Amino acid sequence: MPRFSVRWMVAVLLIAVVGGAFFFCEYLIYFPTILKCAWPKISHARGGEGIDDRPADSAVRAMVLSDTHLLGAVGGHWFDKLRREWQMERAFQTALWLLRPEVVFILGDIFDEGKWSSQKHWEDDVRRFHRMFRHSTDTELVVLVGNHDIGFHYEMDWFKLQRFEKVFNASSTRIVTKKGVNFLLVNSVALHGDGCPICQSVEKELIKLSRDLNCSLQNSQSGSGVMDSCEGSQLYPPTPPIMLQHYPLFRVSDAGCKGQDAAPPQERHLLFREKYDVLSKEASQRLLQWFKPRLILSGHTHSGCEVLHDNKYPEVSVPSFSWRNRNNPSFILASVSPGSYSLSKCFLPEESTVIGVYCSAGACLLLLFLAHCLWMKGLLQCLSLCLLGKHKSL
């Protein structure tokens, strides 16, 4: 076989191995993984009295993720930033294309360095976020605030909070209503209860929202006009809210958490610190008393967990969406109607799988290279022996 043909064959094999591994790991792998996910049906759902007999298309299809932690200019290595942001962008865009959610909630810690980034770096982070999480007008993107976005309680100030709210064009504490379902968004960073100006403002808004929701329920039950005590209140659909926030409600630890996305076994029994890892007992009880939510969705811990508060208020902690925080990121698919809801979890490709594919491709390249070298060496030896034999015959 001519030498140039062998070289071309080796080159084609090398390109096929490298290109195939790259295309699979950076594009294709997200499709079969997310295709395993599906919107849960609400025929046997939780969160309502009896079975909700509304048609499936009347339920809100909500995708919930958390803790994206876009790296900043200070602590983010360029390759780490490139790798993890590409992973989140491909995962998000593939999920949007395959699952078509009506609304996407991100439960805080959008940015990793929002608490200290300069205006220039902040604008760069925001630009990258909008590129990664771009979406069509058919999907609404709703973002909550986390401690890495505006700082922990002792670090936050009005400038950081208003900068965040301006970017996402909405108050950090409000109610979003879709198809008769109330989604309550809580700025949990400001629930220390120490009377700080931002804390007072957020608690005042939460009390107002609680009054509005309670008046809506009472007005529906009474069947008459607006009650005198509810004059001036804003009416919402008369259903208990789905409460979304960054910090989980108070729990002692993750000891009772199970599943493949739970915290590692050696970390589950570590005690949580109030006002740092979870909300305080007092703040948690106030939220439950004010709103009586049928479901709480939270982030912050980077791990999954299901907790039942006071034997009637379920909370689901949503794991991080980024490889930087865990090997197996995931997000929640929620089908929610005014009377019930159902949840399912959708796992993304594991980073270890991608690394394993690249290592296998590297091993194949090495074997191809060694085989080529050995073949060329054997060919040269044959040619040398032939030339030597001809020389002797002469």
Side-chain angles (χ1 to χ4, degrees), residues 263-270:
Q266 65 272 18
E267 297 179 10
R268 293 181 196 174
H269 292 275
L270 297 178

Side-chain angles (χ1 to χ4, degrees), residues 15-295:
I15 292 172
V17 171
V18 173
F22 180 83
F23 182 72
F24 176 77
C25 291
E26 306 305 327
Y27 291 93
L28 189 60
I29 193 173
Y30 296 96
F31 287 89
T33 306
I34 296 177
L35 272 172
K36 297 176 184 177
C37 308
W39 292 103
K41 299 184 183 300
I42 60 173
S43 57
H44 300 286
R46 300 168 290 179
E49 297 181 0
I51 293 177
D52 195 332
D53 58 358
R54 291 170 176 260
D57 58 1
S58 70
V60 180
R61 298 192 311 275
M63 175 178 166
V64 185
L65 54 112
S66 187
D67 294 87
T68 52
H69 284 273
L70 272 70
L71 295 175
V74 178
H77 186 274
W78 70 267
F79 183 75
D80 192 12
K81 186 184 298 184
L82 173 68
R83 186 80 199 98
R84 273 44 188 260
E85 290 184 6
W86 176 255
Q87 168 257 325
M88 288 191 288
E89 180 177 352
R90 293 316 317 150
F92 184 76
Q93 295 302 323
T94 305
L96 285 190
W97 192 72
L98 293 176
L99 299 170
R100 307 287 183 184
E102 296 172 78
V103 59
V104 177
F105 294 101
I106 306 182
L107 305 182
D109 277 2
I110 313 303
F111 308 105
D112 196 57
E113 299 179 3
K115 55 188 178 181
W116 62 51
S117 60
S118 66
Q119 188 61 26
K120 178 183 177 182
H121 293 152
W122 169 262
E123 291 172 357
D124 179 63
D125 292 346
V126 169
R127 177 187 57 78
R128 290 177 8 249
F129 172 83
H130 285 309
R131 185 199 73 234
M132 293 166 55
F133 294 94
R134 61 191 180 276
H135 55 92
S136 69
T137 55
D138 296 332
T139 300
E140 181 180 0
L141 180 64
V142 180
V143 173
L144 283 75
V145 68
N147 55 288
H148 275 266
D149 301 314
I150 61 173
F152 283 96
H153 172 261
Y154 61 88
E155 297 172 305
M156 70 176 180
D157 55 40
W158 284 112
F159 171 77
K160 296 173 189 173
L161 178 59
Q162 291 170 355
R163 180 173 70 172
F164 184 91
E165 292 180 336
K166 182 179 179 181
V167 165
F168 298 105
N169 195 31
S171 168
S172 61
T173 300
R174 67 190 192 279
I175 291 175
V176 173
T177 300
K178 296 187 76 69
K179 294 184 177 180
V181 177
N182 298 314
F183 295 96
L184 171 66
L185 316 182
V186 177
N187 179 355
S188 55
V189 184
L191 292 182
H192 271 47
D194 61 354
C196 76
I198 297 179
C199 300
Q200 289 180 336
S201 175
V202 168
E203 289 192 15
K204 181 179 178 182
E205 183 62 27
L206 286 172
I207 291 172
K208 177 183 179 302
L209 292 175
S210 172
R211 177 176 177 270
D212 290 345
L213 284 172
N214 288 329
C215 285
S216 300
L217 288 168
Q218 293 171 13
N219 183 57
S220 172
Q221 293 167 359
S222 67
S224 58
V226 178
M227 302 172 64
D228 292 340
S229 60
C230 293
E231 284 290 340
S233 64
Q234 180 176 346
L235 294 182
Y236 292 96
T239 58
I242 305 289
M243 191 163 74
L244 303 102
Q245 58 192 45
H246 181 64
Y247 281 115
L249 296 182
F250 175 80
R251 62 177 183 259
V252 175
S253 68
D254 272 352
C257 304
K258 300 177 182 178
Q260 64 186 100
D261 59 349
Q266 65 272 18
E267 297 179 10
R268 293 181 196 174
H269 292 275
L270 297 178
L271 299 181
F272 283 145
R273 293 163 289 180
E274 292 186 61
K275 305 180 181 181
Y276 189 87
D277 299 310
V278 293
L279 288 180
S280 66
K281 292 180 183 178
E282 293 77 13
S284 301
Q285 284 302 312
R286 283 201 304 271
L287 288 173
L288 294 177
Q289 291 169 5
W290 286 343
F291 297 104
K292 298 177 174 56
R294 50 185 170 136
L295 173 67

Side-chain angles (χ1 to χ4, degrees), residues 299-313:
H300 188 59
T301 64
H302 300 172
S303 300
C305 189
E306 294 188 19
V307 182
L308 188 63
H309 299 280
D310 297 343
N311 293 318
K312 56 181 175 179
Y313 301 117

Side-chain angles (χ1 to χ4, degrees), residues 1-10 372 375-376 379 383:
M1 183 183 292
R3 289 181 62 184
F4 73 89
S5 298
V6 175
R7 288 179 178 176
W8 274 109
M9 184 182 297
V10 172
H372 176 65
W375 189 86
M376 292 300 295
L379 181 63
L383 289 173

